[in-house]
Amino acid sequence: MDNWFKLKERGTTVSTEIIAGITTFFTMVYIVVVNPGILSGTGMSFNGVFIATILASIVATLIMGLWSNYPIVIAPGMGLNAFFAFSVVQGYGVSWQTALGAVFIAGVLFIILSLTSFRYMLLDAIPASLKHAITAGIGLFITTVGLQNAGIIANSESTLITLGNLAQPMTYLTLIGLIITVTLMAYNVKGYLFIGMVITAIIAWFMGLFQMPESMVAMPSGLGETAFQMDLAGVFSNGLYTIIFTFLLITLFDTTGTMLGVAEQAGLLKDGKFPRSRGALLADAVGTTTGALLGTSPTSAYIESSTGVAAGGRTGLTAVTVSILLGLTLFFSPIVSVISSIPAITSPALIIVGFFMISVISKMNWSDLEEAFPAFLIIILMPLTHSIATGIGIGFIFYPVLKLLRGKGKDVHPIFYIFAILFFIQLVFLDH
């Protein structure tokens, strides 16, 4: 085991790696509740998505741990699942089978990119300001979804959005759950999101908002309702080319940024470079493709992996430990199904994840109009149009236009002009 994971070389032990894996697991296991809860809103089978979420996470995380030897976990990404459900299926009006087809194509393209140096060119073509804006915009979008699901904000004919009825039991329970979870977070409690959900669920049970299932455990079933159901032909008949690009774009740089951050925290970067990056990116690419085959949205590296690193995790054994624990959760679908159906339990997690994502705006240079204004459009239009792709598209169009008008067209990467033209065609001439 030491030879495979290089435990001594990285100054760690088996017990430390296992503890780190347990720590990471409890900070990210909320996704097995939240992800099927979001995607089932499109008509997908909850149990099918639940199993697909876990299996795709296990496959990708095992590749990350056993091949690249990094303590990084991969699972369906927050933001990507919201984009899948609310922008693609509900916004574009396509079936979830067609949306899975778009994810699959994006995953295949991601695999190809991971095996070539073109992945670096694609990442370099996108300005840092727009990368940060996309992350922040998705965070604001996720927070909006959480607030709406909980009833904290509601639709209004006069103002479009207004304050909801806080006297509703589900709404004020959400506020209670949010306060509990933020308090746990403030005290640096490991697994605060998951623990907050458990405490809120207990309160909800005492309030009579849900009943416990007859059985807490059950053999996994229902995967056949989502597995191999993707509609590839529908992707092309509906012209979802920018959707494919958006899935690919977000997954690529979100994963890359997270991996670099966690690897730097663990002291695994060498001269500022990311060793074995090909295998690490390939793990996510395979996870995304596997997820599409089984029935879930794209995977991404989880920033929650940093909690395991903080607990001493330095090798892929941490990731392998998480994979084993994820496998055990396959047998708890009855209780997960009940919990995910209660907005007060899942909404605080959406709001808090959005908070962390939007915090990247502090890294942006707001005094540079050419960089800041397109970024601002991306951030504000994602929640207002309820479409991540639309926000990205308009920002990507404005960026080169402003640069050209300022006589700085050469500062824009040639590939970026292609991005802008494709988004312009999609937004102006194609149904979206």
Side-chain angles (χ1 to χ4, degrees):
M1 185 174 292
D2 180 64
N3 291 334
W4 186 275
F5 292 109
K6 303 185 185 332
L7 299 174
K8 291 182 180 178
E9 179 182 320
R10 297 189 183 179
T12 185
T13 63
V14 173
S15 60
T16 298
E17 294 296 302
I18 292 175
I19 292 172
I22 294 172
T23 301
T24 300
F25 171 76
F26 278 110
T27 60
M28 58 77 62
V29 71
Y30 68 88
I31 194 61
V32 306
V33 179
V34 177
N35 195 57
I38 290 176
L39 297 193
S40 61
T42 67
M44 299 181 73
S45 162
F46 179 93
N47 283 344
V49 177
F50 173 73
I51 298 173
T53 296
I54 294 173
L55 293 182
S57 302
I58 291 174
V59 169
T61 301
L62 282 177
I63 295 174
M64 176 67 74
L66 295 175
W67 184 2
S68 293
N69 197 23
Y70 282 116
I72 299 174
V73 174
I74 296 176
M78 291 295 295
L80 285 163
N81 49 15
F83 176 54
F84 181 102
F86 304 116
S87 294
V88 181
V89 178
Q90 296 180 13
Y92 281 72
V94 300
S95 67
W96 58 265
Q97 292 91 339
T98 299
L100 285 178
V103 173
F104 179 79
I105 295 172
V108 172
L109 292 175
F110 195 5
I111 290 175
I112 295 172
L113 285 176
S114 299
L115 296 173
T116 67
S117 59
F118 186 72
R119 65 186 181 275
Y120 298 114
M121 186 184 299
L122 188 62
L123 287 169
D124 292 341
I126 304 168
S129 60
L130 300 192
K131 293 177 184 176
H132 296 325
I134 292 172
T135 300
I138 293 174
L140 192 57
F141 179 76
I142 290 175
T143 297
T144 303
V145 170
L147 293 171
Q148 287 179 324
N149 288 348
I152 297 174
I153 60 175
N155 295 332
S156 169
E157 293 184 2
S158 57
T159 61
L160 297 182
I161 291 179
T162 188
L163 183 67
N165 183 2
L166 302 185
Q168 291 290 332
M170 194 65 70
T171 303
Y172 68 73
L173 177 58
T174 301
L175 294 173
I176 293 172
L178 185 60
I179 292 171
I180 290 171
T181 308
V182 172
T183 301
L184 292 170
M185 180 173 65
Y187 281 96
N188 296 316
V189 176
K190 303 296 184 183
Y192 58 86
L193 280 177
F194 179 72
I195 295 173
M197 293 172 72
V198 171
I199 294 174
T200 307
I202 294 172
I203 297 173
W205 180 72
F206 277 110
M207 292 175 62
L209 295 178
F210 82 91
Q211 294 183 344
M212 297 295 290
E214 294 182 1
S215 174
M216 297 284 285
V217 297
M219 290 298 295
S221 64
L223 183 61
E225 298 179 52
T226 58
F228 305 105
Q229 300 294 318
M230 59 187 185
D231 178 13
L232 295 176
V235 176
F236 300 103
S237 63
N238 286 281
L240 301 183
Y241 305 109
T242 57
I243 297 300
I244 296 171
F245 175 68
T246 302
F247 275 134
L248 175 62
L249 190 68
I250 297 173
T251 305
L252 180 62
F253 71 71
D254 185 45
T255 288
T256 302
T258 300
M259 288 180 182
L260 286 172
V262 175
E264 182 177 17
Q265 178 192 3
L268 300 177
L269 295 184
K270 294 183 178 179
D271 299 323
K273 295 183 179 180
F274 189 38
R276 302 178 306 283
S277 62
R278 175 177 295 182
L281 287 174
L282 192 60
D284 190 18
V286 172
T288 293
T289 308
T290 302
L293 289 170
L294 298 178
T296 189
S297 50
T299 58
S300 180
Y302 262 51
I303 193 63
E304 285 84 355
S305 303
S306 62
T307 61
V309 171
R314 294 294 182 272
T315 75
L317 183 55
T318 295
V320 172
T321 301
V322 175
S323 297
I324 294 172
L325 294 173
L326 283 171
L328 295 176
T329 63
L330 280 170
F331 302 94
F332 292 89
S333 61
I335 185 62
V336 170
S337 177
V338 171
I339 289 176
S340 68
S341 67
I342 309 298
I345 299 174
T346 56
S347 291
L350 295 175
I351 296 168
I352 291 171
V353 169
F355 161 75
F356 281 116
M357 295 181 74
I358 201 172
S359 65
V360 298
I361 61 175
S362 62
K363 300 178 181 179
M364 296 168 56
N365 181 10
W366 291 98
S367 62
D368 188 340
L369 181 66
E370 299 149 20
E371 298 286 332
F373 191 74
F376 164 74
L377 290 176
I378 290 175
I379 293 170
I380 198 67
L381 287 174
M382 280 188 188
L384 291 182
T385 62
H386 225 60
S387 171
I388 293 172
T390 298
I392 293 174
I394 293 178
F396 274 40
I397 293 169
F398 261 80
Y399 184 83
V401 169
L402 286 179
K403 288 291 187 180
L404 287 169
L405 291 175
R406 290 279 290 158
K408 300 179 180 179
K410 292 183 179 180
D411 293 346
V412 181
H413 197 290
I415 292 180
F416 198 90
Y417 285 109
I418 298 176
F419 296 164
I421 292 170
L422 291 175
F423 273 118
F424 181 80
I425 293 172
Q426 175 73 25
L427 293 174
V428 177
F429 298 107
L430 300 179
D431 180 25
H432 58 86

